[in-house]
């Protein structure tokens, strides 16, 4: 009897193994990943690919697998690192037969407080089973999510369109002017973010790490030293290009305005990329060399973080002196082939002076000829304003990140989010920080109003303070909404973008009403005299330009996430594009940014740079045309119709 049982054991083991194989999940669903690893979220189906004796799971429409690596761990691996020890996420459990039982999952981080530099840290990513027969329900759930997102987009677009059209056609001069400036800043920041993000990802995720001939074959991820050298070289070239193009287009004021706004914001984005990487390395890699009995490790990191901000400010100051020197030496003469060509030489007009004597008029006496040609714009001043704009945005970002580092202990950069949410003490920290910065901002405004504008230092200091407040608000909003709408991230991004946009326009209208009451505009008696300078020149123009720039930045940051999410979804849904995920996404972001330049240049930029007197003339003309259209009836000259019947 025993021998018969042992004889049947091979057959029983085969049947049992078959049942175990059938019991393995056919589909998995990953959720909870945030930041740069959120690409792993989604559905995975079992694949024919086998790595180290185990079948892999492939993400739908994306070349991303959950595979077993050489160390017998489960790993999320793209195609270029398939079968290697590298991966976006690595499991904690070793030797597990399924990714379901391999967690918790770890992410590679180069600098995180409390961990050794270059460590695998735990994440909130979860791998769940999609039971057999639930596939249709899962797809229906995704379809419901998609319908909710599309409905939110359509509903929000309708409300936003009516709001924007109402503000742009407002009869209030300041509201119309502020709205155009806000939209212009929003477009320039959005173009800059998409352009810089597309180029940077194309360099660091494809051209540098990809093996030849697709790339240069550097290690993945690209080392911080290489990223610092590359980003700093691009940032420096932006300053050179600003001065060179300003010299070449010095006879065209519209092109100089493009350079002043869009060129400044592109320079600011590259400055943020450069100095954020430097700040990371200085705080988490180099700060240990400055530790001693006077400063603890945390205090040393905080000091180094603020010293990096000072170093960035010194870099901008040195580059400004260098650009001034270059204009005096290299660009002191007009270009031989300007863009566009120089205006024609002015026509000389001889003016005759008539001398009258006692007997009548004498012969005309020729005098010095006069020239009536328009004076070309001062391109150096506009380039200086663009350089100041780039410095204000970058320094404001770094200073805000250094302040928040004192509480959070993280430096996520512009494209990532914080790992932890907001607790009560962090909320209190953010409120106190915003209150102090607001007091400083209005204090600078009062000093400039009473004792004079203070020239360029006063203007730059006030705008830097306003930009720091903006970045702190943005970080606080990101941390407070981190756990909201976790089941439908696309819908949460749409709701957040529309909410931010409507809020910014409401702030513009409320600020305009406050300034009307304070400064006595639109036949309203003035309430506060400190909004005026001693010379009688209002500071509202300078203050509102700073407010418009800050609000446009917040709007661009919220819409950038939507655009990138849309590009990611479109690329993943196309099989040909998904085979080259990084290249396709980067190219689409760059093309979208380039496509938005022409509408912004033709429509928003001229309106945003118009003076209030020009807006007033435009409003009067529109009201006159509207009155003519309403007073004239198309049937006024028509013959009466005989409606009687014979």
């Amino acid at each position: 009897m025993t021998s018969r049982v042992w004889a049947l054991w091979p057959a029983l083991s085969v049947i049992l193994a078959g049942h175990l194989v059938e019991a393995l999940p056919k589909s998995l669903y990953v959720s909870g990943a945030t930041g740069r690893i959120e690409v792993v979220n989604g559905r995975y189906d079992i694949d024919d690919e086998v790595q180290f004796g185990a079948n892999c799971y492939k993400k739908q429409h994306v070349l991303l697998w959950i595979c077993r690596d050489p160390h017998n761990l489960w790993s999320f691996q793209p195609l270029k690192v398939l079968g290697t020890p590298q991966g976006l996420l690595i499991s904690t459990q070793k030797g597990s037969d399924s990714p379901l039982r391999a967690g918790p999952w770890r992410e590679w981080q180069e600098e995180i407080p409390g961990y050794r530099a270059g460590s695998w840290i735990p994440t909130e990513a979860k791998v769940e089973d999609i039971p057999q027969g639930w596939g249709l329900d899962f797809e229906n759930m995704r379809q419901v999510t998609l319908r909710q997102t599309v409905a939110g987009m359509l509903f929000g677009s309708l409300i936003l369109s009516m709001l924007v059209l109402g503000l742009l056609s407002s009869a209030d001069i300041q509201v119309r002017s502020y709205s155009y400036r806000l939209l212009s800043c929003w477009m320039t920041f959005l173009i800059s973010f998409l352009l810089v993000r597309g180029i940077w990802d194309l360099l660091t995720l494809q051209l540098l790490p990809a093996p030849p001939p697709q790339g240069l074959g550097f290690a993945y991820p690209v080392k911080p030293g290489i990223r610092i050298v590359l980003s700093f070289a691009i940032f420096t070239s932006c300053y050179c290009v600003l001065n060179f193009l300003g010299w070449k287009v010095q006879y065209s004021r519209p092109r100089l305005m493009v350079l002043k706004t869009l060129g400044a914001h592109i320079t600011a984005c590259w400055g943020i990329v450069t100095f954020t990487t430097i700040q990371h390395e200085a705080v988490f890699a180099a700060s240990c060399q400055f530790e001693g009995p006077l400063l603890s490790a945390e205090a040393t990191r905080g000091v180094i973080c603020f010293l990096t901000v000072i170093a960035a400010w010194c870099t901008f100051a040195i580059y400004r002196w260098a650009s001034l020197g270059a204009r005096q030496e290299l660009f002191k003469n007009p270009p031989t082939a300007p863009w566009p060509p120089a205006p024609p030489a002015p026509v000389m007009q001889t003016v005759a002076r008539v001398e009258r004597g006692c007997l009548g008029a004498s012969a005309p006496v020729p005098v010095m000829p006069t020239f009536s040609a328009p004076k070309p714009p001062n391109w150096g001043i506009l380039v200086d304003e663009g350089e100041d704009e780039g410095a204000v945005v970058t320094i404001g970002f770094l200073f805000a990140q250094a302040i928040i580092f004192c509480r959070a202990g993280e430096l996520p950069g512009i494209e990532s989010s914080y790992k932890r949410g907001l607790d009560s003490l962090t909320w209190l920290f953010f409120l106190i920080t915003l209150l102090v910065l607001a007091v400083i901002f209005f204090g600078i405004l009062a000093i400039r109003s009473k004792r004079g504008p203070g020239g360029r230092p006063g203007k730059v200091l006030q705008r830097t303070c306003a930009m720091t407040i903006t970045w702190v608000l943005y970080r606080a909003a990101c941390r407070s909404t981190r756990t909201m709408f976790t089941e439908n991230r696309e819908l949460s991004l749409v709701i957040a973008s529309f909410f931010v946009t409507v809020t910014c326009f409401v702030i513009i209208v409320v600020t305009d009403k406050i300034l009307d009451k304070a400064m006595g505009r639109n036949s309203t008696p003035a309430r506060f005299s400190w909004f005026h300078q001693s010379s009688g020149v209002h500071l509202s123009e300078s203050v509102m330009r700073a407010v418009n720039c800050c609000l446009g930045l917040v709007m661009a940051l919220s819409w950038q996430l939507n655009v990138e999410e849309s590009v990611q979804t479109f690329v993943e849904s196309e099989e040909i594009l998904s085979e080259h995920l990084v290249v396709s996404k980067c190219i689409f972001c760059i093309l979208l940014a380039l496509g938005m330049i022409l509408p912004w240049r033709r429509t928003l930029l001229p309106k945003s740079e118009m003076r209030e007197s020009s807006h007033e003339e435009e409003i009067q003309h529109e009201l006159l045309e509207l009155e003519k259209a309403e007073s004239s009836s198309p049937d006024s000259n028509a013959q009466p119709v005989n409606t009687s019947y014979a």
Side-chain angles (χ1 to χ4, degrees), residues 618-633:
E618 185 181 38
I619 292 173
Q620 295 297 330
H621 176 72
E622 291 176 359
L623 293 177
L624 181 61
E625 293 296 325
L626 181 61
E627 183 179 356
K628 290 181 179 180
E630 291 178 348
S631 60
S632 61
S633 174

Side-chain angles (χ1 to χ4, degrees), residues 236 239-240 243 314-331 384 387:
T236 304
Y239 257 81
C240 299
N243 286 272
C314 293
T315 303
F316 278 101
I318 293 173
Y319 277 22
R320 178 178 174 82
W321 294 335
S323 63
L324 291 176
R327 290 176 220 158
Q328 296 175 0
E329 296 180 3
L330 300 178
F331 303 136
D384 286 342
E387 292 176 352

Side-chain angles (χ1 to χ4, degrees), residues 4 11 85 131 168 173 198 246 260 274 286 293 305 320 330 353 364 405 445 457 463 560 575 588:
R4 291 180 180 179
L168 295 183
I173 303 171
K260 170 192 168 184
T274 302
C305 192
R320 178 178 174 82
L330 300 178
R353 185 176 72 248
F405 175 79
L445 177 61
R463 291 175 69 90
Q560 177 208 2
E575 184 176 358
F588 269 100

Side-chain angles (χ1 to χ4, degrees), residues 10 33 152 168 178 331 344 362 418 445 499 506 541 593 603:
L168 295 183
Y178 298 158
F331 303 136
S362 62
Y418 288 91
L445 177 61
F499 177 77
V506 171
E541 183 75 13
T603 306

